Amino acid sequence: MKIKLQNKIAINIIRIIAALVVVILLFLLGDILISGVPHISWHFLTSASQSFASGGGIGVQLFNSIYLLLLTLIISFPISLGAGIFLSEYAPKNIFTSIVRMAIEVLSSLPSVVVGLFGFLLFVVQFQMGFSILSGAIALTFFNLPLLTRNIEESLRAVPDLQREAGMALGLSKWRTVTRVILPEALPGIITGVVLGAGRVFGEAAALIYTAGQSATNIDFGNWNPFNAASPLNLMRPAETLAVHIWKINSEGVMPDASAVSAGASAVLIIVVLLFNIFARIIGNSLYRKLTATK
Amino acid sequence: MSIEKYDFNEKNILHFKQDKHQIAIATHVLQVYYGNKHALVDGDLEFERYRITSLIGASGSGKSTYLRSLNRMNDNVAKVEGKIIYRGLDVNSSKINVYEMRKHIGMVFQRPNPFSKSIRANITFALKEQGLKDKKKLDEIVELSLKDAALWDEVKDDLDKSAWSLSGGQQQRLCIARTIAMKPDILLLDEPASALDPISTSKIEETLVELKKRYTIIIVTHNMQQASRISDYTAFFHMGHILEYGKTKNVFTTPQIRATNDYISGNFG
């Protein structure tokens, strides 16, 4: 009897804790969305921000965030793909491999503000890249690399060894087996990881304050020459992202509608990150279904 | 029941007369080590062409280890010494192009392992990797190898469906089809039916008996009925030693070695 009671109490405590997590999330989301969504309009999403007057939007910041995210992925994906393949398929059990593993672990536990400061000192100052999208993208790469590498390694590892043997037994080299058999099979997991990582990168602020900068220069959306300073594609222009914008408005915003802009921008940020999460699930599941032909 | 000690020097191994028989593949004093463990001792076997040879023995007796050494699938996990003679070449030599060799000595594994591709692509994949592009030729090979593996009638309308939509037995026959599409000489099968139900098992067995007209088949099996049903020759493995090798009928009815007798009458294993 006593054991049954204990069991009951324990299960209920665990249930309450689990429910608490959901309640906290719902409360947070609800609060941000309720106060922010009313401020979202087409004008808000597309127009430039204002420093002193009210009625400013987040168009440039939104574009910067997306552009920076794409650049980060372009830089970090190939590197982590290579590192992930090495760690899962080729790495021998030796000191070198454990050093690589430890490096990835340390990198993933670095506070993002430290990564930002490092990027500031090295890229912005030492390499004279200035506050620029490129500096920001490299800083975010440091941030994204360990997550992505771990994700790719684990996705590859999850493919059964039988598949490797199948490829080898048909006379394929190890490399061809990895690229043509193992990688496609690991793809759903990899894509899910990339999209989830993208959500985290999208919302990152601390690493960008000192690297991509805090000013949204006026950019001309009619000019797509990446070498022109006013072009949205220019890599060397400072680029305030959505998350940095929110931080800045709340710390030093002087426009009359600062709190409204901040609430609206926060809501947009949360919605985009949520969309990333939902997309990750949908893409992962549908790819998995397609590969395994289960309905 | 205590484990009996057998004399490993007491062996009864069949050797073919070179002039009368065609030998597809043979091993001479093959040794396999996993680290310090000597997993296979002095493996000396000759396999006759177009016959099915069963390798039987208890778990851990070295039969799978031996089989996997024949097409060098043990390269990364074990140290293999000795000679594996195939077409006058030593397959175990470091000069051999392993990838090319595996096209001649194909392998089917214990658990079905089709690629997560369509049924058709499972067969064409390795051929395309070799540079075969001709669509008509590829379709032809798909049909022929599926027919050889006795799977054609069941899948001919669903060739573009994923291979994972097939049943376990069908998947295993697809794996056989995929292997014979490479036109190997020798087919190695590592307990191909141990994960399958009896009906699928008997289909695989029928397929193998049909296939031996054109392929030399070496099969590891736990199932002694299976060995006696389908194989022409049987080799008995015990604790890393090959103790008896001969015509299946002889090995099962008049075993010359006490260990073989004890094993096939179910005293251990």
Side-chain angles (χ1 to χ4, degrees):
Chain A
M1 202 60 218
K2 207 178 153 202
I3 297 173
K4 266 192 176 170
L5 189 69
Q6 269 182 347
N7 194 34
K8 238 180 188 168
I9 293 172
I11 286 180
N12 280 320
I13 289 177
I14 291 169
R15 278 195 186 131
I16 290 169
I17 293 173
L20 208 63
V21 174
V22 178
V23 168
I24 291 172
L25 177 71
L26 286 181
F27 181 72
L28 227 112
L29 284 182
D31 186 51
I32 294 170
L33 291 180
I34 289 169
S35 58
V37 169
H39 300 290
I40 301 175
S41 63
W42 183 245
H43 172 80
F44 181 70
L45 289 176
T46 53
S47 61
S49 58
Q50 299 284 340
S51 302
F52 306 109
S54 60
I58 54 166
V60 177
Q61 283 81 2
L62 195 56
F63 175 82
N64 285 344
S65 288
I66 294 167
Y67 187 37
L68 198 58
L69 172 63
L70 282 180
L71 277 179
T72 306
L73 287 181
I74 289 171
I75 302 173
S76 58
F77 186 70
I79 301 175
S80 22
L81 186 64
I85 289 178
F86 170 75
L87 285 175
S88 125
E89 308 295 326
Y90 290 95
K93 276 189 186 134
N94 60 19
I95 294 184
F96 177 70
T97 308
S98 27
I99 290 177
V100 171
R101 256 180 231 289
M102 207 167 76
I104 290 171
E105 232 141 79
V106 171
L107 205 56
S108 74
S109 56
L110 283 184
S112 58
V113 71
V114 175
V115 173
L117 269 176
F118 172 77
F120 171 71
L121 291 173
L122 192 67
F123 303 114
V124 177
V125 178
Q126 195 67 35
F127 294 166
Q128 301 181 350
M129 286 157 68
F131 290 121
S132 62
I133 289 199
L134 193 58
S135 307
I138 296 173
L140 284 185
T141 295
F142 289 169
F143 191 65
N144 201 22
L145 212 53
L147 287 172
L148 216 49
T149 304
R150 185 95 55 86
N151 162 256
I152 291 174
E153 183 193 351
E154 268 159 26
S155 304
L156 290 171
R157 234 176 243 284
V159 178
D161 270 343
L162 278 170
Q163 297 295 329
R164 292 176 181 84
E165 292 189 328
M168 306 281 276
L170 287 172
L172 266 66
S173 68
K174 175 129 193 194
W175 175 244
R176 298 299 285 179
T177 305
V178 170
T179 51
R180 299 295 311 278
V181 178
I182 309 302
L183 208 51
E185 224 155 285
L187 207 59
I190 292 176
I191 290 183
T192 309
V194 168
V195 180
L196 285 177
R200 281 196 55 180
V201 166
F202 195 83
E204 175 58 31
L208 291 175
I209 295 171
Y210 309 109
T211 50
Q214 309 162 35
S215 55
T217 48
N218 276 327
I219 52 178
D220 172 10
F221 281 101
N223 179 350
W224 293 96
N225 174 5
F227 298 105
N228 191 301
S231 161
L233 295 183
N234 189 309
L235 291 179
M236 304 315 286
R237 68 183 170 86
E240 184 190 41
T241 65
L242 208 51
V244 174
H245 190 54
I246 294 169
W247 168 80
K248 204 177 158 206
I249 298 170
N250 283 298
S251 56
E252 53 191 54
V254 289
M255 53 284 241
D257 59 350
S259 62
V261 173
S262 161
S266 304
V268 171
L269 191 66
I270 288 278
I271 290 170
V272 173
V273 171
L274 277 180
L275 283 180
F276 273 126
N277 280 270
I278 294 168
F279 268 137
R281 274 178 180 273
I282 293 175
I283 295 173
N285 286 344
S286 75
L287 265 176
Y288 183 78
R289 269 203 301 276
K290 208 172 163 190
L291 286 171
T292 56
T294 49
K295 282 277 143 62
Chain B
M1 192 172 70
S2 66
I3 294 172
E4 277 217 48
K5 288 234 187 297
Y6 297 103
D7 179 6
F8 294 139
N9 292 317
E10 192 196 339
K11 292 180 180 180
N12 181 34
I13 307 285
L14 167 77
H15 285 278
F16 294 109
K17 287 200 187 87
Q18 299 288 339
D19 51 331
K20 265 176 98 179
H21 294 272
Q22 274 190 301
I23 290 168
I25 187 167
T27 60
H28 295 304
V29 280
L30 200 71
Q31 321 282 348
V32 184
Y33 303 88
Y34 295 116
N36 287 329
K37 191 174 172 257
H38 199 165
L40 184 81
V41 185
D42 299 340
D44 261 315
L45 288 182
E46 293 165 341
F47 297 94
E48 199 186 354
R49 194 177 294 276
Y50 305 138
R51 293 288 180 269
I52 299 179
T53 304
S54 291
L55 312 183
I56 62 169
S59 298
S61 61
K63 54 194 194 307
S64 281
T65 297
Y66 178 83
L67 187 82
R68 292 169 61 90
S69 299
L70 292 180
N71 68 343
R72 303 265 302 262
M73 292 299 282
N74 270 342
D75 275 11
N76 292 326
V77 288
K79 196 173 83 186
V80 183
E81 289 170 356
K83 281 189 171 157
I84 302 166
I85 304 298
Y86 167 68
R87 288 188 176 176
L89 291 172
D90 180 9
V91 167
N92 200 30
S93 144
S94 59
K95 289 182 194 131
I96 288 287
N97 178 345
V98 182
Y99 309 119
E100 191 58 39
M101 176 272 288
R102 287 189 187 136
K103 292 169 196 164
H104 297 277
I105 307 177
M107 187 166 217
V108 175
F109 298 85
Q110 186 170 3
R111 297 234 311 274
N113 55 353
F115 300 126
S116 59
K117 303 174 190 289
S118 71
I119 294 169
R120 185 199 309 276
N122 258 278
I123 295 171
T124 56
F125 172 62
L127 296 165
K128 282 182 181 165
E129 283 287 311
Q130 280 183 46
L132 185 61
K133 293 267 150 58
D134 185 355
K135 180 110 185 12
K136 244 179 91 184
K137 187 99 179 109
L138 285 171
D139 285 345
E140 215 171 274
I141 296 177
V142 168
E143 185 175 342
L144 278 178
S145 22
L146 283 173
K147 277 181 176 162
D148 278 352
L151 189 59
W152 175 252
D153 292 333
E154 290 160 59
V155 301
K156 63 183 172 201
D157 299 322
D158 304 315
L159 289 179
D160 292 308
K161 270 198 184 167
S162 164
W164 290 4
S165 64
L166 299 173
S167 74
Q170 289 173 325
Q171 287 185 13
Q172 192 63 300
R173 274 177 286 150
L174 177 63
C175 291
I176 294 177
R178 175 175 78 180
T179 308
I180 56 186
M182 309 293 290
K183 300 221 163 39
D185 275 349
I186 299 173
L187 212 50
L188 308 175
L189 300 111
D190 190 358
E191 297 183 46
S194 68
L196 304 179
D197 60 89
I199 294 172
S200 302
T201 302
S202 73
K203 276 194 174 162
I204 300 256
E205 289 178 9
E206 282 165 31
T207 310
L208 293 179
V209 171
E210 196 57 36
L211 284 175
K212 80 169 184 181
K213 290 172 187 161
R214 277 166 297 143
Y215 303 94
T216 304
I217 296 173
I218 306 173
I219 175 173
V220 164
T221 178
H222 265 300
N223 181 335
M224 278 182 283
Q225 283 79 34
Q226 183 173 64
S228 64
R229 269 196 302 266
I230 63 171
S231 63
D232 303 287
Y233 296 98
T234 296
F236 171 66
F237 285 64
H238 185 60
M239 298 179 83
H241 297 260
I242 303 167
L243 297 183
E244 183 142 14
Y245 176 51
K247 289 217 150 117
T248 298
K249 197 177 59 179
N250 298 343
V251 171
F252 277 94
T253 52
T254 52
Q256 302 296 308
I257 304 294
R258 199 160 53 89
T260 319
N261 189 33
D262 287 355
Y263 180 70
I264 60 178
S265 48
N267 285 351
F268 70 89

